[in-house]
Amino acid sequence: RIEAVMWPHSGIHSAVKWRCCAQSVEAEQVDEAQVPSYLDRLNSEQIEAVTAPVGRPIRLLAGPGSGKTRVLTTRVAHLVLDQNVSPWDIMCITFTNKAANEIDSRLSKLMTNGENKFLTVGTFHSVAARMLRTMLRYPVKTS
């Protein structure tokens, strides 16, 4: 079962939720109050990326200042808050400490219940080092 949620953005007061079940496609009206507030600042392409079905990879190609970090952090919040994906199952890896700190900061603003504390956010190096320290502290016993 695949479920994709798309909310029209510009000036439309009701949202349409598309549900694809096996071979039938149906649309139902969704009350605007049910549309998460974190989607308010996104354009239609960004909403499409954020609300893509769970497990579907997305690729963001855009220039500087176009909202890639906003889409990434909003996608993570959407997965945890609305799609019931465990924060333990999400890893956000970037190249620089500055970008990792920015992602972590934005996630803490979006996820006010503290779910962001259970996410793995960092650089390639810091995440790998954290994994190695954990593996050394709790080694896997082989026979």
Side-chain angles (χ1 to χ4, degrees):
R1 177 181 167 135
I2 299 171
E3 189 170 272
V5 181
M6 308 288 273
W7 286 281
H9 183 63
S10 55
I12 299 174
H13 296 290
S14 64
V16 176
K17 182 176 182 180
W18 293 95
R19 193 175 280 144
C20 305
C21 304
Q23 298 188 13
S24 67
V25 176
E26 58 189 44
E28 63 184 78
Q29 290 292 73
V30 177
D31 183 18
E32 190 176 88
Q34 293 178 341
V35 176
S37 62
Y38 56 78
L39 295 177
D40 289 346
R41 298 182 62 208
L42 303 177
N43 65 35
S44 59
E45 291 85 9
Q46 291 171 327
I47 291 173
E48 183 177 353
V50 167
T51 60
V54 175
R56 176 181 157 213
I58 59 171
R59 180 174 58 175
L60 302 173
L61 298 173
S66 58
K68 294 180 298 295
T69 304
R70 179 182 296 166
V71 170
L72 173 67
T73 54
T74 307
R75 169 86 171 151
V76 170
H78 176 71
L79 290 172
V80 172
L81 300 174
D82 293 335
Q83 300 297 314
N84 298 320
V85 174
S86 171
W88 293 96
D89 294 334
I90 298 175
M91 183 180 294
C92 294
I93 299 180
T94 187
F95 289 101
T96 66
N97 286 321
K98 181 180 176 184
N101 291 336
E102 181 65 24
I103 289 169
D104 200 31
S105 170
R106 291 186 191 192
L107 284 170
S108 66
K109 291 176 186 172
L110 286 171
M111 303 164 75
T112 57
N113 293 338
E115 300 96 336
N116 62 309
K117 294 176 184 171
F118 302 109
L119 295 167
T120 302
V121 179
T123 63
F124 284 97
H125 181 267
S126 68
V127 170
R130 194 177 323 150
M131 288 175 156
L132 288 172
R133 282 193 301 273
T134 302
M135 293 168 96
L136 291 173
R137 193 173 308 133
Y138 306 106
V140 177
K141 296 182 181 180
T142 58
S143 46

